[in-house]
Each structure stands twice: as structure tokens, then as C-alpha cells.
Amino acid sequence: MIRYTLACDKGDVFESWFQNSAAYDKQVKAALITCPVCNSVKVEKTMMAPGVLGTKKKRRDAPPSQMPPSPQQSSHTPPPHTPSPAAMMSPQERDFRNKLKELRDHLTKNADYVGRKFPEEARKMHYGETEHRSIYGEATPEQAKDLHEEGIEFHPLPVLPDEHN
Ligand SMILES: [Zn+2]
């Protein structure tokens, strides 16, 4: 087994074990090695492979390790770039979110807020009792269902996943 320190085209560095260097070559060509951080398959060996190129160690005074590797102590240090649980929004998602916000801002700016009277107001407009205008407000799922069944068209106000960045 041989350990290589690999880097992807985005600059993430991670370590991986291979049967031998030929196995590494084969897996790279077959795009079987992916970056654990960004899943890129464009990975290559880096020159800074501390575990592999042991002969190039500069510190000669370090005592050589006499301990044979045992399963109990083979707890490797975590890779330098441990994926974090934080969600990243892609530019498209960010864009989409901004559009939603625009739409919502536009709606709330140009429509009358009628609150819980929304079903009532929507119905009045639908049956010609009041003039058509843009309104927004609240409706329970049951009320929304009733409105739909009466053929009254309305749309749910877009809800943003998160207001703060
Ligand atoms: Zn990467």
C-alpha cells in the first residue's frame, strides 16, 4: 500500500491509499478518484507528500519510528479539508432566491394587505362584488382549497428559505 497526497483542480488537498503507483495511475485515468471536498475527478499527486516521500525528510534528527503500524493506532489525522456541514448556495440558487425576494417585495409593495380576510376579499373580487386589485394576506389550507375549488386563482406568496446570509 502506498499513500499519496492528492490535490484536485480546485486546490483541495487530501490523502488516499493505493495498492501501488500503477493502481493509482489506473484509477486516475478511469476518473475513479474524486475529491472528497468538491467531488472533482481532476486530481493529481502533489509534491508535498509527507507520508510517501520519507527519504526527503529534512529533519534528520527525528528518531525513526520503530513501531510497526497496528490497526489500533492507525488512526489517521483527518484530511486537511474536512467537509463542513454548512450548506453552500450555488450562484444559481442565490440568483433564484434573489428573484423570489424581488417578486415578494414587488407583491407586498403593490398589493393591499388584507390579512385573514384574504379568502373573503378574493371571493368578492371573483364574483364581481369589488373591483379587481392585487391583494395578499393569509389563508388556511382549508380556505385555500375552497378557493381553488371555486376556481378563484391565487398564488402562495413565495417564502424565502433564509433571510440572513
Ligand atoms: Zn476539490
Side-chain angles (χ1 to χ4, degrees), residues 9-45:
D9 57 337
K10 303 260 171 27
D12 303 315
V13 178
F14 56 99
E15 287 178 351
S16 205
W17 288 90
F18 300 94
Q19 212 67 38
N20 47 50
S21 67
Y24 161 81
D25 288 338
K26 223 168 109 185
Q27 290 184 48
V28 163
K29 280 205 188 103
L32 289 173
I33 309 166
T34 55
C35 169
V37 181
C38 68
N39 286 323
S40 169
V41 294
K42 289 175 190 157
V43 300
E44 58 182 12
K45 274 185 277 187

Side-chain angles (χ1 to χ4, degrees), residues 93-109:
E93 286 162 336
R94 219 174 268 278
D95 202 42
F96 178 63
R97 183 180 168 283
N98 286 340
K99 287 220 169 65
L100 273 184
K101 194 174 181 333
E102 261 174 44
L103 173 65
R104 201 181 67 164
D105 287 350
H106 180 83
L107 278 174
T108 53
K109 219 176 277 169

Side-chain angles (χ1 to χ4, degrees), residues 100 104 156-162:
L100 273 184
R104 201 181 67 164
L157 209 56
V159 176
L160 300 183
D162 210 19

